[in-house]
Amino acid sequence: MSGVPLIDLKAQYAGLRDELRAAVDGVLESQRFILGPEVEALEEEIADYCGAGHAIGVSSGTDALLVALMALDVGPGDEVVTTPFSFFATAGVVVRLGARPVFVDIDARTFNLDPAGLAAAITPRTKVIMPVHLFGQTADMDPILATAERAGVPVVEDAAQAIGADYRGRQAGTLGRLGCFSFFPTKNLGGFGDGGMVITDDAELAARVRRLRTHGFASQYDTSEVGGNFRLDALQAAVLRVKLRHLEGWHEARRRNAERYRRLFAEAGLSRDADGGGPLRPPVEAGHGRHIYHQFVILTERRKQLRAHLANKQIGSAVYYPVPLHLQGCFADLGHARGSFPVAEAAADRVLALPIYPELDEDAQRRVCDALRSFYRV
Ligand SMILES: *Cc1c(COP(=O)(O)O)cnc(C)c1O
């Protein structure tokens, strides 16, 4: 019996080889590598796909977050309210700007920032609220936006895992003042290297992000403020333009796979529902929009033993994220201890991501399910 990898980028590449090579060839023939027509075309296509007024290609998802916060003047003395259960960059960019991340615990069902705790975290120093749309499902944005509005504070969406997800019919990334995407190779839309995008409906903010992306140049060698080199390159843009044409199909394939796991788990007595039942809790769809299943994350006890069992059967799995942000060593001076954000801590101890990539077929999903059954002896 063959194994099942957590993700199989070679399978995706095999289906697109000719298209991708032609796109890369086009850039090589043009010898234009930084920004230029490919990047501009991708920006237009992403703006169209999301229904956003402006899109600015940048060097990574991390830099998208960084430059979005810079465009909102986040700096020393400011606070940015966000979730403790995310990829490191969500809080890293805040600290890099000299500001302080203020964490709000998560919703146990969706792993996203729990709006119930948000109002209490707002202070006169709050500069931005930054929800994360974790694993491909948006945070519950209406109450978050309402709290932000009352506080008079802009929202920046960390939509690095959620391009194409929606919330009550509105695309992830268009719900706040600025939205940030990552094109890291393993994201639902992934390049052949690092890349990212900032989207916004605000023309002035878009212009500022554009300037900040190239050192803060207002025009050549007329520098309005200190930015950085956060540019997207043409090779990434050319690759991403090809892949963008397939993105909807991939999202739907991931959703089909998620449904299939749910059915297989239920049939096998593996899933735990409201009445208790099996040993696993499959991902919960909050019902407020399309989940694009960047990751299919179950909750389980005995995770360490389960992972070893799966590895033994050559089934890929991963833990996103084993250490919540408030317990990272580099944020020790924020003064949080274990117990500060108990829901995030409980999730960090129990989450496990299983293979969900679009090319995964039913046969492979049955092998994953069989491996889970043999571990739990159901
Ligand atoms: C991937 C990711 C980022 C960072 O994106 P990079 O392109 O890797 O810099 C930020 N936030 C979240 C939630 C992510 O998943």
Side-chain angles (χ1 to χ4, degrees):
M1 218 169 64
S2 56
V4 183
L6 182 66
I7 183 168
D8 187 358
L9 287 175
K10 286 183 179 171
Q12 186 192 76
Y13 180 60
L16 299 180
R17 184 178 279 112
D18 292 346
E19 275 180 273
L20 286 165
R21 289 194 168 186
V24 168
D25 246 355
V27 176
L28 297 186
E29 290 302 324
S30 79
Q31 289 292 301
R32 285 200 62 174
F33 294 113
I34 304 294
L35 300 179
E38 287 289 342
V39 171
E40 285 163 27
L42 177 71
E43 289 173 342
E44 247 174 66
E45 288 162 10
I46 294 281
D48 271 1
Y49 178 75
C50 297
H54 309 271
I56 305 100
V58 294
S59 33
S60 69
T62 303
D63 288 341
L65 295 170
L66 185 68
V67 80
L69 296 184
M70 288 169 77
L72 293 170
D73 292 309
V74 170
D78 294 332
E79 296 176 351
V80 174
V81 179
T82 190
T83 165
F85 194 60
S86 181
F87 178 63
F88 177 79
T90 305
V93 294
V94 175
V95 172
R96 257 190 77 181
L97 291 173
R100 179 185 173 88
V102 172
F103 298 115
V104 170
D105 211 348
I106 58 169
D107 178 325
R109 294 177 319 134
T110 63
F111 309 117
N112 279 322
L113 188 151
D114 186 348
L118 185 55
I122 307 283
T123 77
R125 287 183 297 277
T126 306
K127 191 83 170 187
V128 168
I129 297 172
M130 188 160 64
V132 178
H133 306 317
L134 205 65
F135 304 144
Q137 173 165 248
T138 64
D140 188 8
M141 290 301 287
D142 279 343
I144 292 172
L145 292 168
T147 303
E149 173 100 41
R150 270 196 303 278
V153 169
V155 169
V156 172
E157 296 168 72
D158 181 343
Q161 302 186 5
I163 187 167
D166 79 353
Y167 179 80
R168 305 195 193 289
R170 294 167 67 194
Q171 289 285 308
T174 66
L175 296 143
R177 189 76 62 83
L178 298 137
C180 302
F181 299 127
S182 164
F183 304 132
F184 185 80
T186 58
K187 298 282 158 82
N188 284 31
L189 178 61
F192 286 177
D194 280 310
M197 187 79 64
V198 179
I199 62 172
T200 182
D201 278 334
D202 185 319
E204 265 178 50
L205 277 177
R208 191 165 179 201
V209 169
R210 263 179 215 289
R211 292 194 299 272
L212 288 166
R213 167 176 77 172
T214 306
H215 305 292
F217 292 166
S219 59
Q220 209 175 13
Y221 304 116
D222 172 13
T223 312
S224 57
E225 62 180 320
V226 179
N229 176 353
F230 304 128
R231 293 177 300 232
L232 183 63
D233 68 76
L235 281 169
Q236 299 312 325
V239 165
L240 290 163
R241 289 183 69 203
V242 170
K243 291 198 181 191
L244 181 59
R245 298 200 284 271
H246 301 273
L247 187 60
E248 275 302 304
W250 293 334
H251 288 334
E252 286 307 312
R254 286 171 182 270
R255 291 187 51 74
R256 176 204 63 207
N257 292 346
E259 270 320 298
R260 204 145 57 193
Y261 270 140
R262 267 183 232 291
R263 179 170 56 74
L264 292 172
F265 290 179
E267 284 169 8
L270 280 166
S271 34
R272 183 165 73 224
D273 54 26
D275 308 323
L280 303 178
R281 198 205 70 180
V284 177
E285 290 200 9
H288 55 223
R290 183 170 70 153
H291 193 326
I292 56 155
Y293 288 98
H294 171 58
Q295 300 292 351
F296 184 89
V297 174
I298 62 169
L299 279 179
T300 176
E301 312 294 328
R302 295 203 292 145
R303 180 177 67 192
K304 194 173 160 205
Q305 296 90 322
L306 173 59
R307 282 204 77 192
H309 178 82
L310 293 175
N312 198 31
K313 295 189 175 302
Q314 286 167 18
I315 289 170
S317 69
V319 176
Y320 307 115
Y321 297 90
V323 182
L325 298 176
H326 65 283
L327 299 179
Q328 295 287 342
C330 62
F331 301 144
D333 58 344
L334 295 175
H336 300 299
R338 193 156 248 284
S340 303
F341 302 100
V343 187
E345 291 164 19
D349 289 341
R350 292 172 180 81
V351 285
L352 187 66
L354 297 176
I356 190 70
Y357 58 91
E359 297 80 7
L360 189 70
D361 62 17
E362 175 156 2
D363 197 49
Q365 288 189 275
R366 284 187 182 279
R367 293 203 296 279
V368 174
C369 195
D370 288 344
L372 293 168
R373 289 173 75 162
S374 62
F375 179 76
Y376 290 111
R377 302 179 197 286
V378 291

